[in-house]
Tab-separated table of all heavy atoms in Angstrom:
chain	number	residue	atom	x	y	z
A	235	ALA	N	79.744	30.122	-22.234
A	235	ALA	CA	79.671	31.078	-23.333
A	235	ALA	C	79.702	32.531	-22.835
A	235	ALA	O	80.089	33.440	-23.575
A	235	ALA	CB	78.400	30.844	-24.151
A	236	ALA	N	79.313	32.765	-21.604
A	236	ALA	CA	79.275	34.102	-21.055
A	236	ALA	C	80.628	34.592	-20.547
A	236	ALA	O	80.775	35.760	-20.171
A	236	ALA	CB	78.239	34.178	-19.912
A	237	LYS	N	81.616	33.718	-20.525
A	237	LYS	CA	82.951	34.102	-20.012
A	237	LYS	C	83.603	35.104	-20.948
A	237	LYS	O	83.576	34.934	-22.166
A	237	LYS	CB	83.828	32.877	-19.828
A	237	LYS	CG	83.400	31.942	-18.701
A	237	LYS	CD	84.324	30.763	-18.576
A	237	LYS	CE	83.862	29.824	-17.420
A	237	LYS	NZ	84.093	30.433	-16.130
A	238	PRO	N	84.281	36.113	-20.415
A	238	PRO	CA	85.034	37.045	-21.274
A	238	PRO	C	86.237	36.339	-21.886
A	238	PRO	O	86.640	35.266	-21.441
A	238	PRO	CB	85.478	38.145	-20.316
A	238	PRO	CG	85.431	37.506	-18.952
A	238	PRO	CD	84.346	36.488	-18.998
A	239	ALA	N	86.780	36.922	-22.935
A	239	ALA	CA	87.908	36.316	-23.652
A	239	ALA	C	89.140	36.176	-22.755
A	239	ALA	O	89.369	37.011	-21.864
A	239	ALA	CB	88.253	37.128	-24.882
A	240	PHE	N	89.880	35.097	-22.977
A	240	PHE	CA	91.121	34.866	-22.235
A	240	PHE	C	92.303	35.457	-23.015
A	240	PHE	O	92.243	35.613	-24.237
A	240	PHE	CB	91.335	33.362	-22.027
A	240	PHE	CG	90.320	32.715	-21.162
A	240	PHE	CD1	89.198	32.086	-21.725
A	240	PHE	CD2	90.458	32.712	-19.791
A	240	PHE	CE1	88.242	31.472	-20.922
A	240	PHE	CE2	89.498	32.098	-18.978
A	240	PHE	CZ	88.394	31.473	-19.544
A	241	ASP	N	93.358	35.745	-22.276
A	241	ASP	CA	94.611	36.051	-22.966
A	241	ASP	C	95.278	34.749	-23.426
A	241	ASP	O	95.860	34.701	-24.511
A	241	ASP	CB	95.550	36.811	-22.009
A	241	ASP	CG	95.048	38.202	-21.686
A	241	ASP	OD1	94.709	38.942	-22.631
A	241	ASP	OD2	94.965	38.545	-20.514
A	242	MET	N	95.211	33.738	-22.575
A	242	MET	CA	95.763	32.431	-22.926
A	242	MET	C	94.823	31.359	-22.471
A	242	MET	O	94.468	31.298	-21.273
A	242	MET	CB	97.155	32.236	-22.308
A	242	MET	CG	97.925	31.052	-22.915
A	242	MET	SD	99.554	30.776	-22.127
A	242	MET	CE	100.303	32.397	-22.368
A	243	LEU	N	94.385	30.511	-23.377
A	243	LEU	CA	93.513	29.362	-23.066
A	243	LEU	C	94.282	28.099	-23.311
A	243	LEU	O	94.794	27.858	-24.406
A	243	LEU	CB	92.268	29.393	-23.922
A	243	LEU	CG	91.253	28.280	-23.666
A	243	LEU	CD1	90.705	28.352	-22.231
A	243	LEU	CD2	90.100	28.348	-24.657
A	244	ILE	N	94.390	27.263	-22.295
A	244	ILE	CA	95.111	25.995	-22.372
A	244	ILE	C	94.106	24.894	-22.498
A	244	ILE	O	93.170	24.780	-21.689
A	244	ILE	CB	96.001	25.789	-21.131
A	244	ILE	CG1	97.095	26.882	-21.093
A	244	ILE	CG2	96.644	24.427	-21.146
A	244	ILE	CD1	97.239	27.539	-19.780
A	245	VAL	N	94.257	24.076	-23.523
A	245	VAL	CA	93.343	22.936	-23.738
A	245	VAL	C	94.034	21.675	-23.272
A	245	VAL	O	94.995	21.185	-23.884
A	245	VAL	CB	92.961	22.828	-25.229
A	245	VAL	CG1	91.942	21.701	-25.431
A	245	VAL	CG2	92.404	24.150	-25.761
A	246	GLY	N	93.581	21.145	-22.137
A	246	GLY	CA	94.217	19.964	-21.558
A	246	GLY	C	94.707	20.252	-20.178
A	246	GLY	O	95.299	21.315	-19.922
A	247	GLY	N	94.486	19.305	-19.234
A	247	GLY	CA	94.838	19.525	-17.845
A	247	GLY	C	95.854	18.530	-17.283
A	247	GLY	O	95.898	18.324	-16.084
A	248	GLY	N	96.667	17.941	-18.153
A	248	GLY	CA	97.727	17.048	-17.680
A	248	GLY	C	98.946	17.856	-17.247
A	248	GLY	O	98.862	19.080	-17.051
A	249	PRO	N	100.086	17.188	-17.087
A	249	PRO	CA	101.293	17.902	-16.642
A	249	PRO	C	101.671	19.078	-17.538
A	249	PRO	O	102.059	20.144	-17.028
A	249	PRO	CB	102.378	16.809	-16.672
A	249	PRO	CG	101.623	15.552	-16.452
A	249	PRO	CD	100.304	15.733	-17.161
A	250	ALA	N	101.571	18.922	-18.862
A	250	ALA	CA	101.909	20.023	-19.759
A	250	ALA	C	100.936	21.175	-19.596
A	250	ALA	O	101.349	22.351	-19.521
A	250	ALA	CB	101.924	19.528	-21.225
A	251	GLY	N	99.673	20.894	-19.567
A	251	GLY	CA	98.653	21.933	-19.386
A	251	GLY	C	98.784	22.646	-18.066
A	251	GLY	O	98.637	23.875	-17.977
A	252	ALA	N	99.030	21.882	-16.966
A	252	ALA	CA	99.172	22.490	-15.656
A	252	ALA	C	100.383	23.425	-15.603
A	252	ALA	O	100.303	24.533	-15.063
A	252	ALA	CB	99.309	21.382	-14.611
Side-chain angles (χ1 to χ4, degrees):
K237 290 180 181 289
F240 295 94
D241 292 310
M242 193 182 304
L243 181 63
I244 296 133
V245 184

